[in-house]
């Protein structure tokens, strides 16, 4: 009897592949272990064992595996089921899910590029012979492919050696080159160890009677410690004691005080902070908690709708606490961008080192470590906070999933496949684990709220901000009127300028929101009307003034700004529209004394780019922060009292059925950054269209009205939640071929689904990176079987692919596209 395994390969082919194994290998192997296998003429892949059996494949001769890579499964049965669901539902292959689920270090293959880790201090003596050979080779050659490594150590099976070198930090994989940020150290002080006892302390205070400044500092330190119960920053002590840096320094030099540092952005818990007690919930939070727990008892997915700053996080914390008490694992999912050290810090204060963080900006080593900790259920990984990819971690005992900011569009993966929605995939994961799941938001998506309204989901709400802080006061300013009367200064209305002036004078901070980056989206010649276009995409180039460049936001193409028009040669160039860079520049002229920061894609690159700006704003090194929608995500600043929306119209006029829902969410979330502590905050919304119903709903905080109107429209025009949609994108570099292919495919779709097919149509930007795009939308009503529709589509695709001329046209499925 022969032994075989079926494996998942990380490639977009539908089926599993069969390989031959020896009887010894067969007794050792289990589903969920990795094996290195040959594929095609010379490729090596890391594959995942799916099942073991004794049936030789009929149509091909099974090859032998190269070797086994794991000692125990690193993927479990529930994960395999979950991946299969994702593949079926989102119309991709399990191989594609596998590739995106595992940290890339787990997926070495013949084409993987290996580099030496420049930052590592390698102890050469600790390397084994074969490891040393590779280390040596990398001193001479900066990049090696896996098969070149095989030649160096003269054997086929090198993945285990490479895995060891990754673990030892000696090598990096090509896509893993990330910035190493020297984090900002914050100085803290505490009383020197010699003075911890009452007795010595008394002696100390006595000895300082003739140094009043010094004893004042010591007393202030006590007072601070009594009130804040947290490490004391040197800067806070300076303020509290009215003392000077010099006095504190003297005390440190005399060892009376001891100085230490905590890295602000440290995500690893260093145990230096005593873990804080959970906050006790106020009555509104308490009611919400009880409602949630009741819904959990009925095994319902549950929505917590709580206005901004109502303290949703504290409710989550209580649920997490309950979950880990029972020994189960908890997963806290957030959109990538909302995963700030602010929040991570808050959780670590409560749960200490039980918290692990998992997201794409982390290095391979960090991700592999979290994965392995979860496989063996280390207490360290009992609570995982992460972005959408943390859904794929090897949980075996999940008791609770929290999806915070559930309305966020960025939970949907856009490219590459699997194009899954993390919220929806999380609901399925919870079902598989029989775990509880809570969706949280101040502005739930229409779909989720609809599910709560109809009773499919449980529902809890908090309508008041914590501490009874009032919702910010909203004011809509008509900038059409203001422009007509020539009252605008740049893009600022008089009202906005007044409020900024007042806020700055009161020593408070301002947030300004403009949903475009760069200086201006269009440069135009006023003589002939020409505006520079991207050569690779059908879109105007955005002007970035700081570097005097024109850039394409779709393909990153850039060129220097020309002095004169490239079409007619005249120098009458002008700009249209405005982005964050222009707002920032105008602020420098209008408020020369204010310190202005900018937060958009251009200023937040790198692992810590985002953190750096948040920290600066938090520590009030900046007075005004200008930014794009990055500003909206779950930030909790204490001193912001004014939020300005520079122009609400570009959001409202976006050509998409979700534009109004999204505008409501964005504006409400940005507004929610104002006045989160005692004082009532203020929000100014500038618009050319001040009577727009969405602006009214935002300013009166009327979610229900917004929901009612949007639901009505969705039903009228057959959009979700009334219907489901599948978007099919066709992509090819030849315009004519694309047109013909898309038309052929759509004809098949129309035959199958008659009136529920829209398109094919070119999107507003019809060519990106030299590829033309065409979309088709299929609307599926509640009476149709979604899986049947998908089968029909796949059937049409099969005939499509049988036509040689069309085969090179890419067909991309996006189920529940948003
Ligand atoms: P949300 O996530 O709903 O926007 P947060 O959870 O960030 O709100 O809470 C807003 C602020 O109120 C935070 O600074 C938080 O520490 C504080 N807060 C919330 N609930 C409590 C509580 N029960 N006790 C003390 N402080 C709380
Ligand atoms: Zn011109
Ligand atoms: Zn481009």
């Amino acid at each position: 009897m022969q032994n075989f395994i079926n494996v998942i390969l990380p490639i977009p082919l539908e089926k599993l592949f069969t390989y031959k194994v020896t009887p010894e290998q067969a007794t050792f192997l289990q589903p969920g272990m990795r094996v290195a296998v040959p594929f095609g003429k010379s490729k090596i892949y890391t594959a995942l064992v799916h099942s073991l059996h004794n049936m030789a494949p009929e149509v091909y001769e099974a090859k032998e595996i190269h070797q086994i890579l794991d000692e125990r499964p690193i993927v479990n049965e529930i994960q395999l089921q979950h991946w299969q669901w994702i593949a079926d539902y989102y119309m991709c292959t399990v191989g594609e899910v596998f590739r995106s689920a595992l940290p890339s270090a787990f997926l070495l293959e013949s084409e993987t590029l290996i580099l030496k880790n420049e930052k590592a201090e390698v102890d050469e003596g600790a390397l084994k012979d074969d490891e040393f050979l590779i280390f040596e080779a990398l001193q001479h050659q900066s990049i090696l492919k896996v098969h070149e490594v095989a030649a160096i150590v003269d054997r086929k099976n090198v993945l285990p050696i490479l895995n060891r070198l990754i673990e030892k930090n000696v090598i990096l994989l090509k896509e893993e080159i990330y910035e190493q940020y020297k984090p900002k150290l914050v100085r803290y002080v505490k009383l020197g160890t010699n003075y911890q006892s009452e007795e010595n302390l008394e002696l100390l205070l006595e000895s300082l009677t003739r140094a009043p400044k010094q004893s004042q500092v010591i007393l202030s330190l006590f007072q601070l410690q009594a009130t804040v119960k947290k490490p004391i920053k040197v800067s806070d002590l300076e303020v509290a004691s009215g003392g000077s840096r010099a006095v504190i320094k003297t005390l440190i030099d005399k060892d009376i005080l001891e100085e230490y540092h905590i890295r602000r952005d440290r995500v690893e818990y260093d145990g230096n902070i005593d873990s804080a007690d959970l906050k006790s919930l106020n009555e509104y939070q308490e009611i919400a908690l009880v409602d949630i727990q009741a819904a959990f008892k009925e095994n319902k997915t549950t929505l917590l709708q709580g206005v901004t700053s109502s303290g949703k996080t504290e409710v989550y914390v209580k649920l997490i606490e309950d979950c880990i008490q029972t020994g189960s694992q908890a997963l806290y999912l957030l959109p990538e961008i909302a995963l700030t050290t602010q929040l991570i810090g808050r959780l670590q204060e409560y749960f200490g080192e039980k918290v692990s963080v998992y997201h794409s900006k982390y290095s391979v080593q960090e991700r592999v470590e979290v994965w392995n900790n979860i496989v063996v259920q280390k207490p360290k990984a009992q609570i995982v906070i992460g972005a959408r990819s943390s859904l794929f971690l090897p949980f075996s005992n999940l008791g609770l999933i929290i999806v915070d900011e559930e309305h966020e569009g960025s939970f949907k993966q856009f490219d590459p496949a699997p194009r899954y929605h993390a919220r929806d995939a999380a609901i399925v994961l919870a079902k598989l684990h029989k775990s509880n799941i809570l969706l949280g938001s101040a502005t739930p998506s229409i779909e989720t709220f609809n599910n709560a309204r109809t009773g499919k989901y449980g529902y809890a709400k908090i309508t008041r901000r914590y501490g009874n802080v009032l919702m910010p006061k909203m004011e809509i300013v008509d900038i059409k009127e203001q422009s007509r009367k020539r009252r605008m200064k740049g893009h600022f209305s008089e009202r906005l300028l007044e409020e900024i002036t007042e806020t700055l004078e009161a020593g408070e901070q301002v947030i300004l929101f403009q949903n475009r980056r760069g200086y201006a989206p269009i440069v135009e010649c006023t003589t002939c009307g020409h505006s520079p276009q991207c050569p690779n995409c059908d879109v105007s180039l955005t002007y970035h003034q700081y570097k005097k460049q024109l850039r394409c936001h779709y393909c990153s193409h850039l060129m220097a700004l020309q002095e004169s028009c490239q079409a007619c040669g005249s120098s009458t160039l002008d700009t249209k529209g405005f982005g964050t860079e222009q707002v920032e520049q105008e602020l420098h002229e209008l408020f020369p004394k204010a310190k202005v920061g900018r937060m958009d894609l251009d200023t937040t690159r790198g692992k810590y780019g985002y953190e750096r700006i948040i920290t600066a704003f938090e520590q009030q090194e900046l007075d005004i922060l200008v930014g794009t929608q990055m500003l909206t995500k779950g930030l909790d600043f204490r001193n912001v009292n004014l939020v300005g929306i520079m122009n609400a119209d570009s959001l409202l006029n976006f050509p998409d059925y979700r534009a109004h829902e999204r505008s409501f969410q964005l504006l409400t979330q940005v507004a929610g950054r104002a006045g989160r502590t005692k004082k009532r905050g203020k929000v100014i919304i500038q618009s050319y269209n001040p009577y727009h119903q969405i602006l009214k709903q935002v300013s009166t905080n009327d979610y229900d009205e917004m929901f009612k109107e949007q639901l009505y429209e969705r039903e009228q025009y057959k959009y979700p939640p009334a219907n489901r949609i599948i978007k099919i994108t066709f992509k090819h570099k030849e315009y004519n071929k694309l047109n013909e292919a898309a038309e052929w495919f759509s004809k098949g779709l129309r035959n199958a689904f008659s009136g529920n097919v829209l398109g094919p149509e070119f999107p507003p930007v019809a060519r990106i990176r030299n590829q033309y795009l065409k979309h088709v939308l299929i609307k599926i009503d509640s009476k149709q079987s979604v899986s049947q529709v998908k089968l029909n589509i796949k059937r049409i695709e099969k005939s499509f692919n049988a036509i040689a001329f069309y085969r090179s046209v890419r067909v991309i499925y996006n189920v529940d596209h948003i």
Side-chain angles (χ1 to χ4, degrees):
M1 199 171 60
Q2 284 188 307
N3 295 287
F4 297 96
I5 54 173
N6 282 356
V7 301
I8 303 171
L9 286 177
I11 52 177
L13 289 177
E14 291 280 356
K15 54 186 173 124
L16 300 176
F17 291 82
T18 305
Y19 286 85
K20 196 154 41 183
V21 292
T22 64
E24 295 75 41
Q25 287 172 330
T27 39
F28 183 80
L29 279 171
Q30 296 172 46
M33 287 183 175
R34 290 171 305 151
V35 288
V37 299
F39 188 78
K41 280 208 193 73
S42 59
K43 282 211 167 79
I44 305 169
Y45 277 122
T46 295
L48 193 74
V49 179
H50 181 270
S51 50
L52 294 105
H53 60 88
N54 306 104
M55 310 238 293
E58 281 170 12
V59 288
Y60 59 94
E61 177 76 16
K63 290 185 188 168
E64 286 166 19
I65 65 168
H66 280 335
Q67 75 198 118
I68 299 172
L69 296 174
D70 292 312
E71 285 172 13
R72 54 163 182 265
I74 60 155
V75 168
N76 62 43
E77 182 55 33
I78 293 185
Q79 285 174 286
L80 289 177
Q81 286 175 30
H82 191 228
W83 296 0
Q84 188 62 53
W85 178 85
I86 289 178
D88 292 342
Y89 188 83
Y90 292 104
M91 302 178 78
C92 64
T93 69
V94 176
E96 287 171 309
V97 184
F98 171 47
R99 176 176 283 286
S100 109
L102 262 59
S104 51
F106 275 151
L107 285 172
L108 294 176
E109 58 189 45
S110 41
E111 304 304 306
T112 307
L113 300 177
I114 316 274
L115 298 96
K116 74 173 163 182
N117 183 357
E118 304 281 354
K119 307 263 168 26
E121 284 168 32
V122 176
D123 174 8
E124 297 177 19
L127 298 179
K128 294 187 181 167
D129 288 352
D130 48 8
E131 294 170 357
F132 184 76
L133 278 176
I134 300 168
F135 172 74
E136 257 281 305
L138 281 171
Q139 309 306 311
H140 307 297
Q141 195 174 340
S142 60
I143 293 186
L144 289 173
K145 280 196 180 166
V146 167
H147 66 82
E148 293 170 328
V149 171
I152 291 167
V153 295
D154 193 23
R155 68 168 112 138
K156 266 197 306 202
N157 309 330
V158 293
L159 302 195
I161 310 175
L162 293 174
N163 282 327
R164 290 203 302 269
L165 287 171
I166 289 172
E167 262 163 43
K168 291 183 182 172
N169 245 323
V170 177
I171 58 171
L172 295 174
L173 306 182
K174 173 79 167 139
E175 68 266 42
E176 296 293 343
I177 308 166
Y178 54 94
E179 180 192 6
Q180 213 119 36
Y181 164 55
K182 288 266 175 297
K184 182 167 174 174
L185 291 175
V186 177
R187 286 169 68 217
Y188 290 83
V189 277
K190 58 186 178 193
L191 206 56
T193 34
N194 286 341
Y195 302 96
Q196 302 283 2
S197 74
E198 292 270 327
E199 218 173 299
N200 290 350
L201 190 57
E202 243 165 69
L203 288 176
L204 168 67
L205 288 175
E206 232 160 76
S207 75
L208 287 181
T209 39
R210 263 170 299 142
K213 279 188 184 158
Q214 293 182 20
S215 57
Q216 181 56 46
V217 169
I218 303 286
L219 290 174
S220 301
L221 180 65
F222 289 156
Q223 274 163 4
L224 276 175
Q225 274 170 343
T227 47
V228 301
K229 298 197 167 62
K230 271 191 191 166
I232 306 299
K233 284 188 213 163
V234 173
S235 53
D236 289 347
L237 181 60
E238 238 176 85
V239 175
S241 62
S244 68
R245 210 162 282 211
V247 180
I248 297 176
K249 183 165 185 307
T250 312
L251 288 166
I252 292 171
D253 289 345
K254 293 206 291 194
D255 283 337
I256 296 173
L257 292 182
E258 196 180 303
E259 171 187 40
Y260 62 105
H261 297 93
I262 299 178
R263 272 167 55 173
R264 273 302 308 203
D265 48 28
R266 176 148 195 151
V267 289
E268 244 167 72
Y269 182 69
D270 60 8
N272 227 333
I273 305 167
D274 290 332
S275 75
D277 291 333
L278 298 199
K279 297 196 169 84
S280 50
L281 300 183
N282 68 18
E283 53 181 310
Y284 308 103
Q285 290 169 320
E286 197 62 57
I287 292 171
L289 181 69
V290 169
D291 289 347
I292 293 165
Q293 285 164 336
F296 281 174
K297 281 232 167 65
E298 296 178 41
N299 299 318
K300 277 188 174 177
T301 301
T302 302
L303 167 66
L304 169 59
Q305 180 176 22
V307 296
T308 53
S309 202
S310 57
K312 294 184 287 298
T313 318
E314 304 301 330
V315 177
Y316 304 152
V317 163
K318 278 278 192 291
L319 292 166
I320 293 172
E321 167 88 354
D322 288 350
C323 167
I324 62 171
Q325 291 281 335
T326 68
S328 304
Q329 298 160 316
L331 170 62
Y332 187 150
L333 271 183
L334 271 161
E336 183 90 36
I337 199 79
L339 252 177
T340 59
T341 48
Q342 273 191 335
L343 181 77
I344 296 166
R346 259 168 94 178
L347 289 185
Q348 282 173 336
E349 263 180 46
Y350 296 133
F351 300 115
E353 61 175 14
K354 289 204 180 83
V355 180
S356 286
V357 185
Y358 192 79
H359 72 97
S360 67
K361 280 191 180 177
Y362 279 31
S363 71
V364 252
Q365 280 84 4
E366 287 168 298
R367 272 183 282 164
V368 164
E369 202 181 313
V370 174
W371 188 287
N372 287 333
N373 285 343
I374 297 176
V375 168
V376 298
Q377 297 199 44
K378 279 216 182 129
K380 223 177 138 175
Q382 210 181 349
I383 303 169
V384 177
I385 165 167
R388 61 173 181 240
S389 59
S390 50
L391 271 181
F392 294 117
L393 287 164
F395 299 106
S396 49
N397 181 21
L398 205 53
L400 174 70
I401 304 179
I402 285 165
V403 185
D404 196 8
E405 314 285 357
E406 96 34 73
H407 63 278
E408 258 301 312
S410 58
F411 273 129
K412 182 82 156 63
Q413 168 141 322
F414 182 64
D415 231 0
R419 298 181 175 79
Y420 65 102
H421 197 302
R423 174 197 61 215
D424 300 338
I427 293 172
V428 173
L429 187 66
K431 287 243 159 60
L432 293 172
H433 279 277
K434 299 191 171 42
S435 86
N436 293 323
I437 176 162
L438 181 70
L439 315 179
S441 174
T443 51
S445 65
I446 300 286
E447 282 88 342
T448 297
F449 190 77
N450 192 50
N451 282 329
R453 187 185 67 109
T454 56
K456 184 173 169 198
Y457 289 177
Y459 180 66
K461 67 174 171 184
I462 312 177
T463 51
R464 287 191 201 217
R465 292 186 137 189
Y466 181 76
N468 278 327
V469 180
L470 291 173
M471 293 303 284
K473 191 167 174 225
M474 308 261 192
E475 182 178 330
I476 301 173
V477 175
D478 182 352
I479 43 178
K480 198 197 240 157
E481 180 70 9
Q482 290 256 313
S483 307
R484 201 175 52 78
K485 294 187 183 154
R486 302 189 175 280
R487 294 257 176 83
M488 299 285 286
K489 284 205 176 125
H491 295 90
F492 291 82
S493 62
E494 283 178 319
R495 281 293 299 132
L496 184 52
L497 286 177
E498 275 166 28
E499 288 294 338
I500 294 176
T501 311
E502 215 171 275
T503 308
L504 294 180
E505 274 169 6
E508 292 155 352
Q509 291 169 294
V510 178
I511 285 180
L512 295 174
F513 171 76
Q514 169 60 9
N515 210 26
R516 257 184 187 285
R517 65 194 165 98
Y519 187 85
I522 295 173
V523 175
E524 197 180 63
C525 168
T526 56
T527 305
C528 76
H530 172 83
S531 66
Q533 303 287 309
C534 175
N536 312 316
C537 314
D538 287 346
V539 69
S540 303
L541 294 169
T542 299
Y543 176 38
H544 287 249
Q545 191 183 49
Y546 175 68
K547 289 195 168 158
K548 295 251 176 301
Q549 275 173 348
L550 294 171
R551 279 190 227 162
C552 173
H553 287 181
Y554 288 82
C555 74
S556 308
H557 174 85
L558 46 91
M559 57 187 267
L561 179 74
Q562 311 290 312
E563 297 286 313
S564 54
C565 173
Q566 282 174 302
C568 74
S570 112
S571 57
T572 56
L573 296 182
D574 199 4
T575 60
K576 268 189 168 172
F578 68 106
T580 44
E581 213 186 36
Q582 194 168 152
V583 177
E584 183 189 14
Q585 198 206 15
E586 289 180 1
L587 282 167
H588 285 310
E589 285 156 21
L590 292 163
F591 300 95
K593 283 200 214 114
K595 276 169 279 156
V596 181
R598 173 157 61 89
M599 184 153 86
D600 56 31
L601 217 58
D602 299 315
T603 61
T604 55
R605 294 191 198 278
K607 185 173 178 183
Y608 294 100
Y610 186 61
E611 241 64 73
R612 223 175 293 194
I613 297 173
I614 292 177
T615 308
F617 195 56
E618 207 174 34
Q619 307 205 328
Q620 302 187 31
E621 286 159 23
L622 299 171
D623 303 309
I624 307 179
L625 187 57
V626 183
T628 56
Q629 55 177 317
M630 286 187 167
L631 286 172
T632 58
K633 307 300 180 308
L635 296 169
D636 189 25
F637 297 120
R638 319 305 303 161
N639 196 38
V640 174
N641 238 6
L642 175 68
V643 167
I645 316 277
M646 299 304 297
N647 180 328
D649 305 307
S650 59
L651 289 173
L652 292 166
N653 299 334
F654 199 77
D656 181 281
Y657 76 93
R658 276 178 199 273
H660 287 179
E661 174 190 355
R662 220 178 265 143
S663 307
F664 181 90
Q665 288 161 340
L666 250 158
L667 295 174
T668 305
Q669 298 280 353
V670 189
R673 303 310 115 205
R676 290 172 71 89
T677 41
K678 289 144 269 157
K679 199 167 147 187
R680 185 172 189 192
K682 202 166 242 177
V683 179
I684 300 241
I685 303 178
Q686 300 191 136
S687 169
Y688 281 95
N689 195 357
Y691 300 106
H692 196 290
Q693 87 268 20
I694 288 287
L695 296 185
K696 191 170 142 247
Q697 289 152 6
V698 169
S699 64
T700 53
N701 200 24
D702 197 345
Y703 179 88
D704 292 342
E705 187 61 27
M706 185 281 294
F707 173 80
K708 226 167 69 193
E709 267 186 31
Q710 293 306 312
L711 187 68
Y712 177 77
E713 281 186 19
R714 304 279 176 92
E715 280 167 353
Q716 291 296 300
Y717 300 104
K718 298 190 177 174
Y719 281 113
N723 286 47
R724 284 176 186 271
I725 45 185
I726 298 177
K727 176 158 140 183
I728 309 182
T729 301
F730 301 92
K731 207 167 165 181
H732 200 269
K733 59 180 190 304
E734 289 167 37
Y735 180 83
N736 289 331
K737 184 184 253 195
L738 176 80
N739 269 329
E740 203 183 303
E743 190 46 47
W744 192 97
F745 204 115
S746 307
K747 213 161 142 192
L749 293 171
R750 280 192 294 267
N751 283 338
F753 310 117
S754 63
N756 290 328
V757 181
L758 291 190
E761 259 170 23
F762 286 111
V765 179
R767 189 179 51 122
I768 295 177
R769 294 174 195 272
N770 283 317
Q771 301 270 337
Y772 287 96
L773 303 170
K774 238 174 168 174
H775 296 317
V776 174
L777 272 196
I778 299 170
K779 296 182 176 176
I780 308 169
D781 67 38
S782 54
K783 292 188 284 301
Q784 283 171 292
S785 145
V786 181
S787 44
Q788 192 55 48
V789 170
K790 287 175 190 162
L791 281 178
N792 279 339
I793 296 174
K794 286 278 185 185
R795 196 175 38 79
I796 297 167
E797 185 189 1
K798 222 172 187 175
S799 336
F800 177 85
N801 281 332
I803 301 169
F805 182 65
Y806 295 155
R807 207 169 295 146
S808 58
V809 176
R810 272 196 70 198
V811 179
I812 298 162
Y813 298 114
N814 196 330
V815 178
D816 298 341
H817 112 92
I818 54 174

